[in-house]
Amino acid sequence: MRPIRNIVILTGAGISAESGIDTFRGGGGLWERHRVEDVATPEAFARDPDLVLRFYDMRRAAIQTRAPNPAHDALARLDHQWSGDLLIVTQNVDDLHERAGARRVLHMHGQHLSAWCTACDTRSPWRETLIDRPPCPACGKRTLRPDVVWFGEMPYEMERIYGALRSADLFVSIGTSGAVYPAAGFVRDARQLGAATLELNLERSQGSAWFHETRLGPAGELVPEWVDEVLASQ
Ligand code: OAD
C-alpha cells in the first residue's frame, strides 16, 4: 500500500445515529413511517406538495435539536490536523459535521438547512418552515423547495467527488448501508484507482467485500480510535 496523503471519507446516516437522528433502513428508520415514494421523489412533490413540505419541515426542525457526537467531533479534529488532502463526502442532510467544526465537507444529497428556488435557481440558508410558501429571498417568488436530492435526481458535485477519489490513497466509509448509488459505488471506484479501503459500520454494508478492512461497532467508538491512529501515522 502506498503512503497515505489524500483521504476521502464517505459518511451516511449511521454516523448521526448516536446523535438521535433516525437512519433510513434501520429498525424505526424514516422510511418505515413514510413510503419513500410519498416523500422523497419529484413526483411526490408534484402530487402532494403539502405532505412533502411538512415532512421536511419536521426533519429540518428535528435536526436543529440534535448535537454532534464523538464521531463527528473526531472527523472535525482530523480535518483540522490532517495536512494532506481530505474530503468528507456526506450523504447526510443534517449539519452535524459542520457544527462539530469540520470544514472540508461536501453534501452530495443536499442539506436540510438550505432552500432551493425552482424559479431563479438560488439556494438560500434556511432554518424555518416551507409549508406556508415563503418568498424566495432572491427573486420573491413563492417557489422554494427543500434543497435535498430526491430519488431520481442527480446527486451534487459528482465531478469534484470523482476528482478526489482519483487522488485518494485511502477511502473510508462510515455508517452507510451501501444501498444507494452512486455513493455505494465509491468504494469499488476508489479501490480500482489504487486506494486502500476501510469500512467503519455497525454491521457489514452491502459493498463490504470491496473493503480491504472492515471494523464493526458504533461510530462514536470506532471513528475516534481510527482518527487517533491515522493522525499518529502522519
Ligand atoms: P442507511 O439507513 O441505509 O444505513 C445506515 C447504516 O449505518 C447501516 O448500515 C447501519 O448498520 C449503520 N449504523 C447504524 N447505527 C450506527 C452507529 N451507531 N454507528 C455506525 N454505524 C451505524 O443510511 P445511508 O446509507 O446513509 O438518500 O442511506 C443512504 C441514502 O439513502 C441516504 O442519503 C438517503 C437514503 O435514501 C437520499 O435521501 C437521496
Side-chain angles (χ1 to χ4, degrees):
M1 287 290 163
R2 58 198 193 206
I4 296 169
R5 286 295 299 157
N6 302 333
I7 304 176
V8 174
I9 298 168
L10 174 70
T11 66
I15 198 169
S16 294
E18 289 158 77
S19 295
I21 298 177
D22 288 344
T23 62
F24 294 95
R25 291 172 185 80
L30 273 181
W31 307 127
E32 293 188 358
R33 270 166 285 154
H34 278 283
R35 295 189 318 148
V36 60
E37 54 273 29
D38 289 339
V39 288
T41 63
E43 293 76 19
F45 187 51
R47 193 172 52 237
D48 192 346
D50 280 6
L51 174 78
V52 174
L53 292 175
R54 208 172 292 118
F55 173 79
Y56 282 95
D57 282 352
M58 279 170 45
R59 304 305 312 159
R60 192 180 311 102
I63 63 150
Q64 295 182 65
T65 68
R66 305 294 187 234
N69 67 56
H72 299 102
D73 294 340
L75 291 188
R77 184 158 56 88
L78 180 64
D79 183 15
H80 284 263
Q81 296 179 17
W82 186 254
S83 55
D85 282 351
L86 177 106
L87 185 62
I88 300 169
V89 178
T90 187
Q91 299 167 88
N92 298 342
V93 290
D94 65 53
D95 64 337
L96 297 184
H97 285 305
E98 286 88 347
R99 273 200 271 150
R103 289 170 303 207
R104 291 181 271 184
V105 181
L106 185 163
H107 284 270
M108 66 177 290
H109 289 166
Q111 303 186 60
H112 274 319
L113 298 185
S114 173
W116 174 27
C117 177
T118 54
C120 74
D121 201 28
T122 300
R123 290 176 163 84
S124 305
W126 205 266
R127 306 193 83 85
E128 309 302 325
T129 58
L130 290 172
I131 187 74
D132 294 328
R133 312 301 197 278
C136 166
C139 74
K141 294 214 175 97
R142 296 180 183 276
T143 44
L144 295 173
R145 60 161 268 187
D147 188 10
V148 297
V149 174
W150 286 326
F151 283 90
E153 296 181 325
M154 182 66 85
Y156 296 154
E157 301 203 65
M158 292 304 294
E159 294 210 349
R160 200 174 138 214
I161 295 171
Y162 283 118
L165 289 173
R166 272 193 291 278
S167 64
D169 304 306
L170 176 62
F171 172 81
V172 186
S173 170
I174 303 171
T176 178
S177 60
V180 173
Y181 283 81
F186 292 166
V187 59
R188 195 190 58 188
D189 300 329
R191 185 167 176 153
Q192 287 174 342
L193 289 161
T197 54
L198 168 66
E199 169 173 50
L200 308 176
N201 209 34
L202 204 52
E203 58 199 3
R204 286 189 175 276
S205 67
Q206 291 185 25
S208 203
W210 285 100
F211 290 92
H212 291 103
E213 186 187 349
T214 293
R215 300 182 190 177
L216 300 180
E221 289 173 19
L222 294 183
V223 178
E225 281 167 17
W226 169 70
V227 166
D228 286 345
E229 250 172 64
V230 76
L231 282 173
S233 75
Q234 186 167 230

